[in-house]
Every structure is written in structure tokens, then in C-alpha cells.
Tab-separated table of all heavy atoms in Angstrom:
chain	number	residue	atom	x	y	z
A	1	ILE	N	91.650	88.990	93.709
A	1	ILE	CA	91.063	89.198	95.006
A	1	ILE	C	92.219	89.111	96.084
A	1	ILE	O	92.946	88.229	96.092
A	1	ILE	CB	89.993	88.260	95.380
A	1	ILE	CG1	88.764	88.376	94.414
A	1	ILE	CG2	89.471	88.503	96.849
A	1	ILE	CD1	87.588	87.340	94.519
A	2	GLY	N	92.199	90.234	96.869
A	2	GLY	CA	93.225	90.220	98.028
A	2	GLY	C	92.599	89.994	99.366
A	2	GLY	O	91.387	90.485	99.544
A	3	ILE	N	93.127	89.137	100.196
A	3	ILE	CA	92.547	88.787	101.523
A	3	ILE	C	93.553	89.323	102.540
A	3	ILE	O	94.754	89.152	102.496
A	3	ILE	CB	92.500	87.267	101.671
A	3	ILE	CG1	91.682	86.654	100.551
A	3	ILE	CG2	91.962	86.871	103.054
A	3	ILE	CD1	90.191	86.887	100.622
A	4	ALA	N	93.045	89.941	103.619
A	4	ALA	CA	93.720	90.301	104.867
A	4	ALA	C	92.823	89.862	106.066
A	4	ALA	O	91.658	89.940	105.882
A	4	ALA	CB	94.080	91.634	104.899
A	5	CYS	N	93.441	89.423	107.171
A	5	CYS	CA	92.715	89.029	108.213
A	5	CYS	C	92.943	89.799	109.501
A	5	CYS	O	94.099	90.323	109.686
A	5	CYS	CB	93.167	87.470	108.559
A	5	CYS	SG	92.779	86.378	107.069
A	6	TYR	N	91.930	89.851	110.313
A	6	TYR	CA	91.989	90.521	111.703
A	6	TYR	C	92.281	89.434	112.649
A	6	TYR	O	91.662	88.292	112.536
A	6	TYR	CB	90.645	91.215	112.009
A	6	TYR	CG	90.626	91.746	113.390
A	6	TYR	CD1	91.097	92.997	113.684
A	6	TYR	CD2	90.098	90.993	114.374
A	6	TYR	CE1	91.074	93.501	114.942
A	6	TYR	CE2	90.087	91.462	115.714
A	6	TYR	CZ	90.479	92.784	115.914
A	6	TYR	OH	90.521	93.158	117.197
A	7	PRO	N	93.157	89.552	113.581
A	7	PRO	CA	94.048	90.743	113.843
A	7	PRO	C	95.371	90.508	113.307
A	7	PRO	O	96.335	91.434	113.384
A	7	PRO	CB	94.062	90.688	115.315
A	7	PRO	CG	94.118	89.240	115.742
A	7	PRO	CD	93.151	88.588	114.711
A	8	GLU	N	95.677	89.460	112.545
A	8	GLU	CA	97.080	89.053	112.059
A	8	GLU	C	97.596	90.128	111.231
A	8	GLU	O	98.888	90.430	111.266
A	8	GLU	CB	97.100	87.699	111.238
A	8	GLU	CG	96.647	86.524	112.074
A	8	GLU	CD	95.237	86.294	111.993
A	8	GLU	OE1	94.604	86.350	110.886
A	8	GLU	OE2	94.553	86.160	113.111
A	9	HIS	N	96.790	90.693	110.376
A	9	HIS	CA	97.325	91.671	109.355
A	9	HIS	C	96.996	93.121	109.785
A	9	HIS	O	97.226	94.082	108.902
A	9	HIS	CB	96.729	91.311	107.941
A	9	HIS	CG	97.068	89.892	107.588
A	9	HIS	ND1	96.164	89.089	107.113
A	9	HIS	CD2	98.276	89.180	107.701
A	9	HIS	CE1	96.697	87.841	106.754
A	9	HIS	NE2	98.045	87.943	107.245
A	10	GLY	N	96.272	93.293	110.738
A	10	GLY	CA	95.947	94.697	111.191
A	10	GLY	C	94.807	94.710	112.175
A	10	GLY	O	94.032	93.815	112.263
A	11	ARG	N	94.772	95.689	112.982
A	11	ARG	CA	93.722	95.862	113.977
A	11	ARG	C	92.687	96.939	113.676
A	11	ARG	O	91.787	97.137	114.549
A	11	ARG	CB	94.281	96.013	115.389
A	11	ARG	CG	95.117	94.784	115.834
A	11	ARG	CD	95.588	95.070	117.314
A	11	ARG	NE	96.225	93.686	117.662
A	11	ARG	CZ	95.640	92.692	118.212
A	11	ARG	NH1	94.252	92.740	118.351
A	11	ARG	NH2	96.356	91.578	118.577
A	12	THR	N	92.948	97.593	112.652
A	12	THR	CA	91.995	98.642	112.224
A	12	THR	C	91.372	98.343	110.848
A	12	THR	O	91.999	97.686	110.078
A	12	THR	CB	92.634	100.097	112.290
A	12	THR	OG1	93.490	100.263	111.206
A	12	THR	CG2	93.089	100.441	113.577
A	13	LEU	N	90.166	98.896	110.611
A	13	LEU	CA	89.513	98.667	109.189
A	13	LEU	C	90.571	99.182	108.166
A	13	LEU	O	90.822	98.623	107.112
A	13	LEU	CB	88.302	99.422	109.136
A	13	LEU	CG	87.557	99.203	107.777
A	13	LEU	CD1	87.350	97.646	107.453
A	13	LEU	CD2	86.232	99.882	107.829
A	14	ASP	N	91.193	100.412	108.381
A	14	ASP	CA	92.089	101.055	107.449
A	14	ASP	C	93.361	100.116	107.097
A	14	ASP	O	93.790	99.896	105.914
A	14	ASP	CB	92.526	102.447	107.857
A	14	ASP	CG	91.484	103.491	107.658
A	14	ASP	OD1	90.493	103.239	106.973
A	14	ASP	OD2	91.654	104.476	108.309
A	15	ALA	N	93.977	99.575	108.237
A	15	ALA	CA	95.142	98.730	108.158
A	15	ALA	C	94.691	97.454	107.323
A	15	ALA	O	95.429	96.948	106.454
A	15	ALA	CB	95.692	98.301	109.403
A	16	ILE	N	93.694	96.810	107.693
A	16	ILE	CA	93.229	95.538	107.050
A	16	ILE	C	92.888	95.809	105.454
A	16	ILE	O	93.266	95.079	104.616
A	16	ILE	CB	92.029	94.881	107.769
A	16	ILE	CG1	92.443	94.446	109.155
A	16	ILE	CG2	91.477	93.705	106.896
A	16	ILE	CD1	91.301	94.009	110.104
A	17	THR	N	92.182	96.916	105.277
A	17	THR	CA	91.892	97.204	103.861
A	17	THR	C	93.163	97.502	103.054
A	17	THR	O	93.249	97.039	101.968
A	17	THR	CB	90.967	98.436	103.796
A	17	THR	OG1	89.768	98.188	104.559
A	17	THR	CG2	90.558	98.895	102.355
A	18	ALA	N	94.070	98.180	103.657
A	18	ALA	CA	95.291	98.458	102.889
A	18	ALA	C	96.046	97.194	102.689
A	18	ALA	O	96.601	97.020	101.469
A	18	ALA	CB	96.170	99.535	103.765
A	19	ARG	N	96.166	96.208	103.480
A	19	ARG	CA	96.872	95.088	103.287
A	19	ARG	C	96.124	94.149	102.356
A	19	ARG	O	96.660	93.466	101.423
A	19	ARG	CB	97.090	94.363	104.563
A	19	ARG	CG	97.955	95.261	105.530
A	19	ARG	CD	98.806	94.669	106.366
A	19	ARG	NE	99.789	95.587	106.901
A	19	ARG	CZ	99.815	96.067	108.091
A	19	ARG	NH1	98.820	95.890	108.921
A	19	ARG	NH2	100.760	96.948	108.465
A	20	ALA	N	94.731	94.076	102.258
A	20	ALA	CA	93.972	93.428	101.319
A	20	ALA	C	94.217	94.036	99.961
A	20	ALA	O	94.360	93.219	99.009
A	20	ALA	CB	92.535	93.428	101.674
A	21	ASP	N	94.340	95.346	99.942
A	21	ASP	CA	94.606	95.943	98.594
A	21	ASP	C	96.022	95.573	98.076
A	21	ASP	O	96.254	95.291	96.943
A	21	ASP	CB	94.499	97.440	98.905
A	21	ASP	CG	94.464	98.331	97.502
A	21	ASP	OD1	93.659	97.925	96.670
A	21	ASP	OD2	95.310	99.249	97.356
A	22	GLN	N	96.983	95.626	98.993
A	22	GLN	CA	98.427	95.013	98.503
A	22	GLN	C	98.227	93.648	98.071
A	22	GLN	O	98.895	93.328	97.065
A	22	GLN	CB	99.178	95.184	99.800
A	22	GLN	CG	99.614	96.510	100.196
A	22	GLN	CD	100.520	96.573	101.435
A	22	GLN	OE1	100.120	95.958	102.509
A	22	GLN	NE2	101.758	97.211	101.239
A	23	ALA	N	97.532	92.817	98.789
A	23	ALA	CA	97.493	91.433	98.288
A	23	ALA	C	96.764	91.303	96.935
A	23	ALA	O	97.154	90.426	96.124
A	23	ALA	CB	96.664	90.577	99.349
A	24	MET	N	95.787	92.171	96.792
A	24	MET	CA	95.132	92.127	95.393
A	24	MET	C	96.134	92.576	94.249
A	24	MET	O	96.078	91.964	93.292
A	24	MET	CB	93.910	93.182	95.398
A	24	MET	CG	93.157	93.127	94.081
A	24	MET	SD	92.474	94.665	93.517
A	24	MET	CE	93.580	95.843	93.957
A	25	TYR	N	96.868	93.592	94.588
A	25	TYR	CA	97.850	94.013	93.479
A	25	TYR	C	98.853	92.899	93.314
A	25	TYR	O	99.392	92.725	92.186
A	25	TYR	CB	98.487	95.364	93.802
A	25	TYR	CG	97.577	96.464	93.414
A	25	TYR	CD1	96.876	97.111	94.471
A	25	TYR	CD2	97.289	96.763	92.095
A	25	TYR	CE1	96.038	98.230	94.211
A	25	TYR	CE2	96.348	97.813	91.745
A	25	TYR	CZ	95.770	98.492	92.661
A	25	TYR	OH	94.865	99.606	92.405
A	26	GLN	N	99.249	92.147	94.337
A	26	GLN	CA	100.156	91.113	94.139
A	26	GLN	C	99.528	89.962	93.278
A	26	GLN	O	100.198	89.389	92.401
A	26	GLN	CB	100.557	90.566	95.598
A	26	GLN	CG	101.493	89.281	95.488
A	26	GLN	CD	102.963	89.766	95.117
A	26	GLN	OE1	103.217	90.950	94.971
A	26	GLN	NE2	103.849	88.738	94.899
A	27	ALA	N	98.195	89.761	93.452
A	27	ALA	CA	97.435	88.683	92.655
A	27	ALA	C	97.567	89.149	91.191
A	27	ALA	O	97.773	88.282	90.269
A	27	ALA	CB	96.046	88.635	93.054
A	28	LYS	N	97.331	90.501	90.909
A	28	LYS	CA	97.426	91.022	89.607
A	28	LYS	C	98.812	90.861	88.944
A	28	LYS	O	99.017	90.383	87.802
A	28	LYS	CB	96.928	92.399	89.534
A	28	LYS	CG	95.570	92.660	89.784
A	28	LYS	CD	95.253	94.186	89.741
A	28	LYS	CE	93.725	94.386	89.834
A	28	LYS	NZ	92.969	93.970	88.761
A	29	LYS	N	99.804	91.050	89.760
A	29	LYS	CA	101.190	90.999	89.421
A	29	LYS	C	101.570	89.574	89.018
A	29	LYS	O	102.369	89.307	88.082
A	29	LYS	CB	102.172	91.470	90.479
A	29	LYS	CG	103.585	91.486	90.101
A	29	LYS	CD	104.407	92.098	91.216
A	29	LYS	CE	105.938	92.059	90.923
A	29	LYS	NZ	106.746	92.546	92.100
A	30	LEU	N	101.062	88.541	89.877
A	30	LEU	CA	101.275	87.221	89.552
A	30	LEU	C	100.561	86.550	88.473
A	30	LEU	O	100.621	85.250	88.153
A	30	LEU	CB	101.029	86.453	90.969
A	30	LEU	CG	102.159	86.785	92.021
A	30	LEU	CD1	101.711	86.144	93.279
A	30	LEU	CD2	103.524	86.385	91.581
A	31	GLY	N	99.730	87.308	87.742
A	31	GLY	CA	99.059	86.684	86.544
A	31	GLY	C	97.596	87.011	86.551
A	31	GLY	O	96.908	86.377	85.570
A	32	ARG	N	96.995	87.633	87.510
A	32	ARG	CA	95.509	87.991	87.504
A	32	ARG	C	94.695	86.701	87.720
A	32	ARG	O	95.107	85.583	87.711
A	32	ARG	CB	95.206	88.714	86.287
A	32	ARG	CG	95.856	89.959	85.976
A	32	ARG	CD	95.444	90.705	84.706
A	32	ARG	NE	96.236	91.900	84.500
A	32	ARG	CZ	95.812	93.126	84.866
A	32	ARG	NH1	94.568	93.307	85.314
A	32	ARG	NH2	96.454	94.149	84.598
A	33	ASN	N	93.394	86.987	87.872
A	33	ASN	CA	92.350	85.801	88.000
A	33	ASN	C	92.913	84.904	89.135
A	33	ASN	O	92.912	83.692	88.891
A	33	ASN	CB	92.128	85.160	86.670
A	33	ASN	CG	91.025	84.100	86.899
A	33	ASN	OD1	90.000	84.407	87.603
A	33	ASN	ND2	91.164	83.062	86.290
A	34	ARG	N	93.190	85.526	90.307
A	34	ARG	CA	93.671	84.608	91.435
A	34	ARG	C	93.292	85.324	92.675
A	34	ARG	O	92.990	86.445	92.754
A	34	ARG	CB	95.056	84.307	91.255
A	34	ARG	CG	96.038	85.409	90.936
A	34	ARG	CD	97.518	85.075	90.698
A	34	ARG	NE	98.080	84.352	91.801
A	34	ARG	CZ	98.911	83.314	91.680
A	34	ARG	NH1	99.100	82.860	90.471
A	34	ARG	NH2	99.379	82.694	92.810
A	35	VAL	N	93.369	84.591	93.735
A	35	VAL	CA	93.232	84.925	95.234
A	35	VAL	C	94.570	84.920	95.794
A	35	VAL	O	95.267	83.929	95.874
A	35	VAL	CB	92.216	84.174	95.852
A	35	VAL	CG1	91.984	84.533	97.327
A	35	VAL	CG2	90.782	84.247	95.152
A	36	GLU	N	94.921	86.075	96.465
A	36	GLU	CA	96.194	86.066	97.254
A	36	GLU	C	95.900	86.603	98.643
A	36	GLU	O	95.169	87.546	98.866
A	36	GLU	CB	97.181	87.037	96.679
A	36	GLU	CG	97.782	86.522	95.403
A	36	GLU	CD	98.652	85.361	95.656
A	36	GLU	OE1	99.459	85.267	96.670
A	36	GLU	OE2	98.708	84.436	94.717
A	37	CYS	N	96.464	85.952	99.613
A	37	CYS	CA	96.322	86.371	100.972
A	37	CYS	C	97.565	87.165	101.292
A	37	CYS	O	98.625	86.987	100.977
A	37	CYS	CB	96.266	85.099	101.977
A	37	CYS	SG	95.893	85.617	103.697
A	38	TYR	N	97.327	88.349	102.188
A	38	TYR	CA	98.421	89.155	102.515
A	38	TYR	C	99.532	88.301	103.139
A	38	TYR	O	99.352	87.539	104.011
A	38	TYR	CB	97.991	90.253	103.455
A	38	TYR	CG	99.080	91.189	103.868
A	38	TYR	CD1	99.457	92.091	103.094
A	38	TYR	CD2	99.719	90.987	105.141
A	38	TYR	CE1	100.483	93.014	103.337
A	38	TYR	CE2	100.739	91.837	105.521
A	38	TYR	CZ	101.164	92.844	104.603
A	38	TYR	OH	102.078	93.666	104.954
A	39	ASN	N	100.668	88.565	102.731
A	39	ASN	CA	101.887	87.866	103.293
A	39	ASN	C	102.998	88.871	103.412
A	39	ASN	O	103.507	89.355	102.432
A	39	ASN	CB	102.281	86.682	102.309
A	39	ASN	CG	103.505	86.028	102.664
A	39	ASN	OD1	104.500	86.521	102.990
A	39	ASN	ND2	103.445	84.708	102.798
A	40	VAL	N	103.404	89.074	104.605
A	40	VAL	CA	104.370	90.197	104.932
A	40	VAL	C	105.827	89.776	104.026
A	40	VAL	O	106.260	90.856	103.389
A	40	VAL	CB	104.843	90.186	106.345
A	40	VAL	CG1	105.984	91.204	106.671
A	40	VAL	CG2	103.582	90.589	107.234
A	41	ALA	N	106.202	88.651	104.076
A	41	ALA	CA	107.496	88.460	103.275
A	41	ALA	C	107.263	88.655	101.755
A	41	ALA	O	108.142	89.270	101.135
A	41	ALA	CB	107.979	86.917	103.571
A	42	ALA	N	106.169	88.237	101.341
A	42	ALA	CA	105.931	88.392	99.820
A	42	ALA	C	105.858	89.896	99.423
A	42	ALA	O	106.295	90.354	98.501
A	42	ALA	CB	104.663	87.543	99.409
């Protein structure tokens, strides 16, 4: 599961959804079965 928050990670639904999607793929990359919050540096 990827998490992104308004307004820190975006101000539109499309921006927040895209960042949550990025966080979800990061969770998969880090080993699956985890929750990741969007992190710009990561």
C-alpha cells in the first residue's frame, strides 16, 4: 500500500494518486507486504 497526503504531496487528486502509486511501487521494491508513505528523497 502506498500513502500520499494532501497538501504535502500534492494539491490535486491526480498528483496525490500518482505519488501514492509511486509509494506503492516502492513498497513492492522493498519486499512487498508493506505500507510506504511517499517520500521525495526516497
